[in-house]
Each structure stands twice: as structure tokens, then as C-alpha cells.
Amino acid sequence: MKSYLHRLFFVIPLILGLCSCNKNVSEEQGTRSENQLKINYAKAITLDISGGFPKLQGNPIFFSDENDSYFYIQTSDGIGTFDLQNGGQPISMIKLNEIENFRGGTSTAQNHFLPVSKNEFLYFDRINDEIYEIENSKVTASQKMARIMNSSPKPQSGFLKFASKEENIVTLLNMLEAYARPPYTYQNLENTFGIFKNSLKEFESKMLLPEEYLGKNVNAYDLLISFDYDEKSKEYIINYPILDDLIITKDFETMKRIKATPKEHFVDLANRSGEKMGEWKKEYYSSNSFFAVYYDPFRELYVRHYREALSEVDYESLAANSFKMLDPRNKNYLLFLDKSGNEMHTMDVSDYNHLYIHFGKEGMYILNDTELENEDSLTFSLFTLQKN
């Protein structure tokens, strides 16, 4: 069972990421404006990945600071940094065998980097269950997770943004370790977040799965939680895929909810009955879902990514075509809200690779490429965002 769950967790983002239909973007798209937010196409940025970087690996990694925005591509032996604003070739490359004090394997395999500044990373070694803090190509702290985590699920990796680091490292826990097995009706709620404290010497888990899950039939896709972090207010913004609300919290104990949905009871779990990944996938795509959440710190916006149900006919057509779910028939939207929960704008992103979205000082980046036609480049569209 453990081996099956491990394979399942990494197959899900991989299936989502290997998709079809290239997109060319031009200035003719013009201005997309609605209510209190104007979204304008600015330019296209092309990254040169001909130097051995994998394309559409299902693992989008971004970081922004006040000066620039960066996109990272993990390779078999390290990670490369690209300047999103200027495009072109990578501006730096880190290899595991060149990191001082690193004692893990020299292949990234199913391991995962996460940038916490331009040159500082967390590295989750899934093979050896170890976590590293890396700064300027030097390990500054590390810990075997089994020593401090006891029976808690391991940190979630390989899917969206899953951790943050301020004073402590906060990470989502892999709920599939606890729940992706019969009877699939949840009678006990587990904590969903893990906090590594005191330079990786202490650990505690926090924040139960919301009560909306209790007693419901849900599947693996309903447990792909995401979150973002507001550094200014020290608040975490959390997306649970079946909830109408976003959850906002500073300490994972006291929390508030903000309505962020196109309609009440957006997600209906009535069709959840399958016990295999193929059944889960069909149930998920033939229902509505809240896919992810982003926080735009430069304009102080909550951005919730949701998708509408596919018809059974469209699902079967797409599933028969190598599970290519990045298709305009698979309707995906971004719902923009201010910090008071007021809806500002809704943007249809169905034509883009909506797995790769990032907010920097200069605006919103979204990947155009949805297939492997040209494996030597990736092209992002940059949109400016302006509050009225």
C-alpha cells in the first residue's frame, strides 16, 4: 500500500502536466477588464530550455522579490533559475553534487526543490525522508523527518506550492497517506499542516481537515490542498478543493473564512463512489472543483483557481486522447478578490497552461505551452493588473 500511494501521489501531477495544444499570444487579445480590476496583455517571454531542461514536468516552481520574478526547472541532478522578466537561458544552475555539506543522493528522482529566496531553497528528499535548507549552494540545516515526525504523514511535494519558510517551515502534509484507502468515507479528521521549528529540531501538526469532509465520500483529487502566504500580514490563505470558502489563518488555530465561489455549493460530491485512480479522475473532472489559491502581494489580491465540470462526452473524448486535460473544453477560471472578500474580476484561462501561474511585481505570468511540440523553449504571457 505504501508503494502504491507513493506512485499515485507523483502520477497525479504528472498526468495533469503532460498535456496538449500550443497557444500563440498576440497583442490583439487586448484588455480584459471587469468590475474593479483591469487585466491587460503586456508581452510574451520565451525561456530557452535547450540545455537539457525537461519541458512540462508537472512541477511549476516560481519565486518573486521586489526586483524580479524567477522560474525554476528541476533537472535530474539539480535546478536551474530563469529570469521571467527577461527570458532567455538560465541565469544560474545548482547541482546536488556541488552543494557543500549535502549528503543525499546526486539524483533528484522524486525529490523536490522549493525556493524561499532567489538563492535559498528547501529540498525535500523523498527517497531518504530528509529535509534540507540550502543557501548559496551550502546546506545550512538538515533533518531526518522520521526522527521528529513520528506517525504524521510526510510533507506533500511535487504538486503546486506546498511549503513556506519564515521563522519556521510550514508545509502541507500528504493526506493521501492517511486517506487514500478504503472505505473512502472519512470518519476521522487528520491535521493537514506540518510545522518544522527550531532549525528543523522540532515538529508539530496543525489544522484538522474541515468538517465538510466528515462523513463524505471523497477521492484523492479532493485532498490536493494548496495554500499561499501573505508575508505582510503573516497570514496563510488555504484552498480546500471542496469548500466554497478560502480559509485565512495566522496560527492554524484561529481562522476566518472568505466566500470565494462562483455559486453556493459549487462542489457536489454526489458522484464520489470509485476506489481506483481511473474512477477518481472521471469523478473529479465530471464535477466542479476549486483547484488552487494564489496570493498577489503586490496588489493584495486573493486569486482562486476553479474549474467547471466536463460533460461525460467531453471527458471520454479527452481521456481517450492520452488524458490531455489542457484543452479549451476543460473550463478553468481565476476569481480575483480583494482582502475584504469583494469579487474584483473573473478571467477565463482555459486556453492556457493554467498549472503554471505566478504573480510578480510586474504582473501575472501564465504559461502558453500545453504540449511538447517545441521542446527547446517555454513561452509565458505577462498580464498587467491594475485596480480601478
Side-chain angles (χ1 to χ4, degrees), residues 16 19 31 67 73 88 93 117 121 159 164 206 222 224 266 272-273 346 388:
L16 289 170
C19 311
T31 301
N67 299 313
I73 302 181
M93 177 73 194
S117 72
F121 299 87
F159 185 77
S164 67
K206 292 273 191 177
D222 303 315
L224 293 176
F266 181 65
R272 300 296 199 267
S273 59
T346 300
N388 288 344

Side-chain angles (χ1 to χ4, degrees), residues 17-247:
L18 299 175
C19 311
S20 71
C21 181
N22 196 31
K23 175 172 176 55
N24 294 321
V25 178
S26 72
E27 294 184 12
E28 293 176 0
Q29 288 177 296
T31 301
R32 304 175 186 226
S33 62
E34 173 186 323
N35 301 333
Q36 301 302 309
L37 186 69
K38 287 185 178 180
I39 301 180
N40 299 320
Y41 171 78
K43 64 177 182 178
I45 301 101
T46 298
L47 309 183
D48 181 351
I49 61 171
S50 60
F53 293 94
K55 183 172 185 178
L56 306 185
Q57 76 277 30
N59 183 20
I61 311 172
F62 298 92
F63 176 78
S64 280
D65 55 27
E66 287 291 337
N67 299 313
D68 212 340
S69 294
Y70 306 97
F71 178 61
Y72 301 81
I73 302 181
Q74 188 167 308
T75 66
S76 61
D77 61 355
I79 191 166
T81 304
F82 292 79
D83 183 336
L84 262 181
Q85 179 76 311
N86 296 313
Q89 296 181 342
I91 59 175
S92 65
M93 177 73 194
I94 295 176
K95 293 187 177 182
L96 291 175
N97 62 7
E98 297 173 353
I99 296 174
E100 187 178 344
N101 298 329
F102 181 73
R103 61 176 175 271
T106 57
S107 171
T108 62
Q110 293 176 330
N111 302 333
H112 187 74
F113 283 95
L114 183 78
V116 293
S117 72
K118 179 184 175 183
N119 297 308
E120 183 182 4
F121 299 87
L122 302 178
Y123 183 66
F124 288 82
D125 184 338
R126 301 289 300 183
I127 296 174
N128 298 307
D129 281 337
E130 191 161 5
I131 182 172
Y132 292 87
E133 294 183 19
I134 300 169
E135 186 171 0
N136 296 319
S137 296
K138 180 179 180 179
V139 173
T140 57
S142 65
Q143 179 62 269
K144 286 280 188 181
M145 288 185 273
R147 291 176 181 166
I148 57 175
M149 293 186 68
N150 298 319
S151 60
S152 293
K154 297 297 188 297
Q156 177 177 312
S157 65
F159 185 77
L160 300 175
K161 181 177 179 178
F162 70 97
S164 67
K165 181 179 182 294
E166 289 296 311
E167 180 181 350
N168 302 311
I169 295 172
V170 175
T171 175
L172 284 167
L173 299 177
N174 184 1
M175 290 295 96
L176 302 191
E177 290 186 14
Y179 286 138
R181 56 183 180 268
Y184 306 105
T185 299
Y186 305 121
Q187 300 169 344
N188 296 296
L189 299 180
E190 299 281 347
N191 283 327
T192 55
F193 280 82
I195 303 173
F196 293 90
K197 298 181 175 182
N198 190 19
S199 297
L200 298 175
K201 294 182 176 63
E202 300 175 19
F203 173 85
E204 64 177 325
S205 62
K206 292 273 191 177
M207 199 163 175
L208 292 174
L209 201 66
E211 290 185 359
E212 284 84 347
Y213 283 84
L214 194 60
K216 299 292 197 318
N217 294 326
V218 299
N219 69 39
Y221 289 87
D222 303 315
L223 295 167
L224 293 176
I225 305 160
S226 69
F227 80 100
D228 213 334
Y229 181 65
D230 178 355
E231 292 185 13
K232 185 176 180 180
S233 68
K234 308 299 182 186
E235 291 179 323
Y236 297 87
I237 305 101
I238 305 167
N239 177 77
Y240 289 94
I242 71 171
L243 267 62
D244 282 350
D245 303 333
L246 291 173
I247 294 180

Side-chain angles (χ1 to χ4, degrees), residues 240-275:
Y240 289 94
I242 71 171
L243 267 62
D244 282 350
D245 303 333
L246 291 173
I247 294 180
I248 317 296
T249 184
K250 290 184 178 182
D251 57 8
F252 302 101
E253 295 178 0
T254 302
M255 60 199 72
K256 62 181 178 181
R257 290 190 173 206
I258 291 180
K259 192 69 66 180
T261 180
K263 66 177 183 179
E264 294 286 335
H265 308 298
F266 181 65
V267 180
D268 182 2
L269 299 180
N271 73 338
R272 300 296 199 267
S273 59
E275 298 184 0

